[in-house]
Each structure stands twice: as C-alpha cells, then as structure tokens.
C-alpha cells in the first residue's frame, strides 16, 4: 500500500498542503467556493513547527489502528480494498475516543452540519483521481506518496550519492 512520506528538511511550512486538503474536501472543490461554504472545510493535514522548519502531519493509516479499536460506533474502519483507515460520518456519535487513541494527534473534532460533533482525519483523498491533494500541492515535494520499499530505496540512493560526493570533495 502506498503511504505518505515527509522530508521535513525541505518543508517550508507554507501550508499549501493544508489549503489543498481543505479545498479537496470542500463541496465546491474550488478555493473561492470553499471559502463561501456554510461549513467551511477543514484541512486534514496539520503543519507543525519543528525546530526551524515544519512537519506536515496527517493520519498514518496504521497497520494496527488504535483509533479503529477505540471507536465504539464503528465509524472508523479499515477499508478492505485500500487498507486505509476511513471514517463513516453517518455512524459517528462524536464521542472523540478516536482522538484520545491516536498516537499522532492526527484526528480532530469537527462540527457537523446537524450540530452533532464528528471527526476529521486524512482519508488519502479517497474518491479523487491521482495522488492526495497535499502531495501535488507541495512546492518542494516534501510530501510524497509512494510504496515504502520505493521510498527506502530512494532514501538509500540519495544517502550514497551524498556520501560519495562528500568523500570525493576532500
């Protein structure tokens, strides 16, 4: 299963990922339309300050998701096809047990249209064509959507290039 990876060393903390996420989850799917919606969409990715840079954080779609185990209403579930952790708004009772259970703080409370409290979390832009909106919006490519093996291989190769260029410069 492809997953999101972040290279925090090149993140600008510009929050383009968060803006793209909110627009992708809006009714209108446009920036100007999203701003005018009665219930403005919220980003499901949060850029947190780390040292002198930032780190975009979203649901990690864990193999053993504690949020799913904690959801008494069974509103959170692992999709059998994609393997991602998804949320069924119609089942959510707003108990926020999933928020307590998430080790990454990637789930947050979101007021629902019917005044019942629901949650908001990354769904990897299920239902949209292509890669998640946060990935395509990142101006530095700090967020990537890859198979873990591909990411690891690329990371090893980049390290070896850096290692050999440092050794040859001396």
């Amino acid at each position: 299963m492809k997953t999101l990876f972040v290279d925090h060393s090149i993140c600008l903390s510009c929050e383009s990922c968060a803006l793209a996420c909110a627009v992708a989850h809006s009714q209108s799917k446009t920036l100007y339309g999203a701003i005018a919606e009665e219930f403005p969409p919220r980003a499901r990715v949060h850029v947190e300050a780390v040292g002198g840079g930032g780190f975009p954080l979203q649901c990690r779609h864990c193999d053993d998701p504690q949020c799913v185990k904690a959801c008494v209403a069974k509103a959170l579930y692992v999709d059998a096809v994609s393997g991602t952790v998804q949320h069924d708004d119609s089942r959510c009772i707003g108990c926020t047990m999933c928020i307590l259970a998430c080790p990454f703080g990637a789930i947050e409370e979101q007021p629902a249209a019917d005044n019942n409290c629901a949650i908001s979390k990354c769904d990897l832009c299920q239902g949209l064509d292509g890669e998640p909106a946060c990935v395509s919006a990142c101006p530095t490519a700090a967020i990537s959507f890859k198979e873990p093996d591909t990411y690891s291989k690329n990371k090893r190769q980049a390290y070896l290039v850096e290692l050999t260029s440092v050794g040859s410069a001396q």
Side-chain angles (χ1 to χ4, degrees), residues 47-64:
V47 180
E48 299 294 333
V50 177
F55 191 94
L57 179 70
Q58 56 280 93
C59 178
R60 304 308 309 151
H61 300 278
C62 304
D63 287 337
D64 184 24

Side-chain angles (χ1 to χ4, degrees), residues 100-117:
L100 295 171
C102 177
F104 303 103
I107 303 172
E108 71 177 352
E109 208 171 21
Q110 176 172 313
D114 59 5
N115 291 328
N116 288 332
C117 181

Side-chain angles (χ1 to χ4, degrees), residues 90-108:
S90 68
R91 295 187 66 118
C92 185
I93 60 173
C95 69
T96 68
M97 292 302 293
C98 57
I99 293 172
L100 295 171
C102 177
F104 303 103
I107 303 172
E108 71 177 352

Side-chain angles (χ1 to χ4, degrees), residues 76-134:
L76 285 170
Y77 62 95
V78 176
D79 182 75
V81 175
S82 67
T84 60
V85 177
Q86 297 297 319
H87 181 251
D88 180 351
D89 290 339
S90 68
R91 295 187 66 118
C92 185
I93 60 173
C95 69
T96 68
M97 292 302 293
C98 57
I99 293 172
L100 295 171
C102 177
F104 303 103
I107 303 172
E108 71 177 352
E109 208 171 21
Q110 176 172 313
D114 59 5
N115 291 328
N116 288 332
C117 181
I119 59 106
S120 175
K121 63 168 287 309
C122 172
D123 60 1
L124 290 177
C125 293
Q126 295 291 307
L128 297 181
D129 292 333
E131 60 192 6
C134 60

Side-chain angles (χ1 to χ4, degrees), residues 15 19 45 97 129 137 141:
E15 300 204 22
L19 183 60
V45 56
M97 292 302 293
D129 292 333

